[in-house]
Amino acid sequence: MTEKPAEKPLRMGVIGCAAIAARRTLPALAANPDVVVAAVASRQEAKARSFTDRFGGEPVEGYDRLLERPDIDAVYIPLPALLHAEWIERTLRAGKHVLSEKPLATTRKDAEALVTLAAARDLVLLESFMFLTHSQHAFVRAKVAEGAIGTLRHLTAEFAFPAKADDDIRYLPDVGGGALTDIGVYPIRTALMYLGGELDVLGAWLHLDHERGVDLGGSALIGSSDGVAAHLTFGMEHSYRSQYALWGSHGRISVRWAYTPPPTHSPLIRIEQQDRVEDITLPAENQFANVVAAFVARVRHGVPSGLEGESVIAQAALVDRVRARAMTGLS
């Protein structure tokens, strides 16, 4: 029997030289045998070269020049949030698949337009919400479905970290800075994962920094039509926390390092019931490598990812509602 020839690697271009790309996603792209980093674009060629020296490919000065290249099948976009919609659209119109850093778009309107454009052009558009690909969350969902905590009554999700340097991009409002856009999306996506898409924002609060013009943290109370509530907290002026818990009629299950576990971390899941506490340790895994593998599988074989389409629109819509509902405190 004649063997099928091996598929050629997916030729990836990168638009932007963000820190998240250097630390996590580009190492995962470079390590995947089904991917080759073909080019990296920056507004300064020297910066692009500093990336290609580490991860391969050719340095390109200017984002448009990368999109003109015929040797690029797909593009990874780690630009600031407010630039995502523009460059995702340009990339899709150039006929290339897209893997975008989260949030894919800062409003439902933009998210819906981009998802529609990708579908119309038969191109893949994935949002790199890496934590969703970690198997610890599938494990928790399975335990909840088995009845480990009874009927779900309440969810809490918290993601926050200490203040960054004054020039950090998260403090720049003109490129989509602020805690809700950058950090709040994690607890919000957690609520969608467990409570479904038909959610009401019952109340919200944002702490606005008047001088910087961005929010530094906040909370939201969200409810589902069947009476389950979610209390979400996020911020970038706190001690580090990255966890969520599901509280049911007969118990509670919690994820201790939910959103940014390093590849070497073995997740600890705690199940608390009336007369017992069980700690379950799961195998370590690299969620950035998982995202890259999911993107390749979607492009090559059409395998659904859970990082695209309606889930992206639902996420953006809920962020819109939290922003619209929020009371603010100024500092």
Side-chain angles (χ1 to χ4, degrees):
M1 185 175 179
T2 304
E3 292 186 4
K4 292 182 179 179
E7 287 187 296
K8 293 182 179 179
L10 189 68
R11 300 170 299 178
M12 292 289 300
V14 180
I15 288 181
C17 297
I20 186 67
R23 289 198 319 268
R24 298 296 188 188
T25 310
L26 268 165
L29 286 169
N32 190 302
D34 295 317
V35 172
V36 61
V37 178
V40 177
S42 175
R43 298 191 188 281
Q44 296 85 35
E45 184 179 348
K47 191 166 187 179
R49 189 174 297 280
S50 72
F51 273 55
T52 57
D53 286 346
R54 293 174 58 190
F55 304 111
E58 294 183 24
V60 177
E61 184 173 350
Y63 304 155
D64 281 316
R65 288 184 60 200
L66 184 139
L67 296 182
E68 294 167 358
R69 293 177 64 115
D71 62 339
I72 301 292
D73 303 311
V75 174
Y76 165 56
I77 301 178
L79 294 169
L82 276 184
L83 301 181
H84 287 176
E86 174 188 354
W87 286 101
I88 290 170
E89 180 180 356
R90 290 192 185 195
T91 304
L92 292 171
R93 293 193 183 282
K96 304 179 192 303
H97 305 289
V98 178
L99 174 64
S100 171
E101 272 305 324
K102 57 79 198 161
L104 186 147
T106 57
T107 67
R108 173 182 179 142
K109 180 181 177 182
D110 285 345
E112 202 160 29
L114 294 171
V115 167
T116 300
L117 178 62
R121 291 181 168 256
D122 197 24
L123 292 167
V124 172
L125 172 59
L126 259 63
E127 183 176 47
S128 184
F129 239 125
M130 67 288 174
F131 90 91
L132 295 172
T133 69
H134 200 295
S135 62
Q136 64 178 330
H137 309 294
F139 179 86
V140 171
R141 290 196 299 272
K143 283 295 181 183
V144 172
E146 290 168 10
I149 62 170
T151 302
L152 180 61
R153 302 296 190 201
H154 191 262
L155 178 151
T156 57
E158 302 158 305
F159 188 31
F161 47 71
K164 301 292 184 180
D166 287 340
D167 61 350
D168 191 275
I169 197 168
R170 295 174 180 86
Y171 300 135
L172 303 177
D174 57 338
V175 292
L180 174 60
T181 300
D182 190 71
I183 308 159
V185 289
Y186 289 86
I188 286 171
R189 190 56 171 259
T190 305
L192 286 167
M193 180 164 54
Y194 289 104
L195 275 60
E198 297 299 320
L199 303 177
D200 292 323
V201 179
L202 307 176
W205 176 84
L206 294 175
H207 174 205
L208 292 180
D209 184 309
H210 180 71
E211 290 187 6
R212 291 177 169 137
V214 298
D215 58 291
L216 301 179
S219 296
L221 181 62
I222 290 173
S224 68
S225 58
D226 56 357
V228 181
H231 184 202
L232 316 177
T233 305
F234 50 91
M236 48 192 189
E237 52 181 352
H238 307 61
S239 62
Y240 183 82
R241 182 166 290 220
S242 171
Q243 64 183 33
Y244 66 80
L246 304 166
W247 191 359
S249 57
H250 302 306
R252 188 172 183 271
I253 187 167
S254 57
V255 181
R256 299 297 186 86
W257 201 340
Y259 303 122
T260 58
T264 56
H265 172 69
S266 297
L268 179 67
I269 309 299
R270 171 165 287 190
I271 301 176
E272 302 171 67
Q273 296 172 332
Q274 184 68 28
D275 56 352
R276 63 191 290 266
V277 175
E278 181 182 10
D279 286 334
I280 303 167
T281 302
L282 302 177
E285 62 183 73
N286 186 335
Q287 59 189 20
F288 286 88
N290 291 347
V291 166
V292 172
F295 183 66
V296 173
R298 180 67 177 86
V299 171
R300 292 297 193 210
H301 308 295
V303 179
S305 67
L307 302 171
E308 58 190 306
E310 288 301 321
S311 67
V312 172
I313 296 171
Q315 166 79 19
L318 191 51
V319 172
D320 275 355
R321 295 201 295 276
V322 169
R323 187 183 293 114
R325 191 78 167 80
M327 298 175 63
T328 58
L330 295 175
S331 65

